[in-house]
Amino acid sequence: IICQYVEWASVVLFWARMPLIMTGFFLLTFWDVRRDRKITFRAFCWEVLAAIRLVLPVAPCLVVGFSFLFFVLTVIPRRIGLASVYLVDTLIYYGEFYGPFSVVYFVLKRQFIRKPILPTTAGSGTGKEGKRDGGEGDRGVLRQKRLQALRRSTRLG
């Protein structure tokens, strides 16, 4: 009966602890991102969802990868006698559960580093950058503005 109680208690503790861990991760990540960039909480929530959607399909592989990584990192101290079995098991356990959170964090940081802080224009003034991408550069933008002005003037007249 005691063995069943211990297993049941660990399951309850896991599900009680997980929302707290996720909330702490979410708030600390928001604080970290806000240091570099001004972003609304709503926009941050959408970015977190996008990062989770990106990481979720590979989460089982990440869990296995992190457990293997921490296993390899703990084998050497265990062989030398510096680490106990409890320490090895604890590192592997926490590596499995918190490793995917670290991947979500790095995906979020990468997304926010790549986004420009200041608004940018379609062309740089030379028109060459837009042509490389298959567009017409600034001349294409000017042509579109002229066409829009022409359409407006024909509707009024």
Side-chain angles (χ1 to χ4, degrees):
I1 287 181
I2 293 175
C3 184
Q4 291 175 346
Y5 173 74
V6 170
E7 290 177 18
W8 179 252
S10 64
V11 170
V12 170
L13 280 175
F14 172 77
W15 286 108
R17 198 177 349 163
M18 191 52 86
L20 294 173
I21 292 166
M22 291 171 58
T23 303
F25 167 78
F26 192 78
L27 292 175
L28 288 173
T29 305
F30 179 66
W31 172 77
D32 185 42
V33 168
R34 284 282 300 227
R35 289 185 313 155
D36 299 333
R37 194 163 300 231
K38 298 299 178 204
I39 184 171
T40 63
F41 189 71
R42 186 178 207 170
F44 178 74
C45 291
W46 286 111
E47 292 292 334
V48 169
L49 282 175
I52 288 173
R53 264 190 253 151
L54 186 68
V55 172
L56 198 59
V58 293
C61 297
L62 289 173
V63 168
V64 171
F66 277 108
S67 64
F68 179 73
L69 174 73
F70 280 101
F71 174 73
V72 169
L73 290 175
T74 56
V75 164
I76 297 169
R78 178 79 177 118
R79 294 275 180 188
I80 297 173
L82 296 176
S84 65
V85 175
Y86 176 74
L87 177 66
V88 170
D89 290 343
T90 304
L91 285 175
I92 294 171
Y93 175 79
Y94 285 113
E96 287 176 359
F97 287 111
Y98 302 131
F101 281 111
S102 67
V103 174
V104 171
Y105 172 77
F106 286 118
V107 167
L108 279 170
K109 287 297 278 187
R110 187 188 70 201
Q111 287 175 354
F112 282 108
I113 288 172
R114 286 187 180 173
K115 289 189 177 182
I117 295 174
L118 298 174
T120 58
T121 59
S124 66
T126 61
K128 293 179 182 176
E129 287 79 16
K131 287 183 181 180
R132 280 191 218 140
D133 297 331
E136 293 183 48
D138 291 338
R139 283 182 266 153
V141 173
L142 292 174
R143 186 178 300 141
Q144 288 177 352
K145 287 182 180 180
R146 280 191 223 126
L147 284 172
Q148 288 173 355
L150 182 64
R151 288 182 190 140
R152 275 186 261 142
S153 66
T154 54
R155 281 188 221 145
L156 296 175

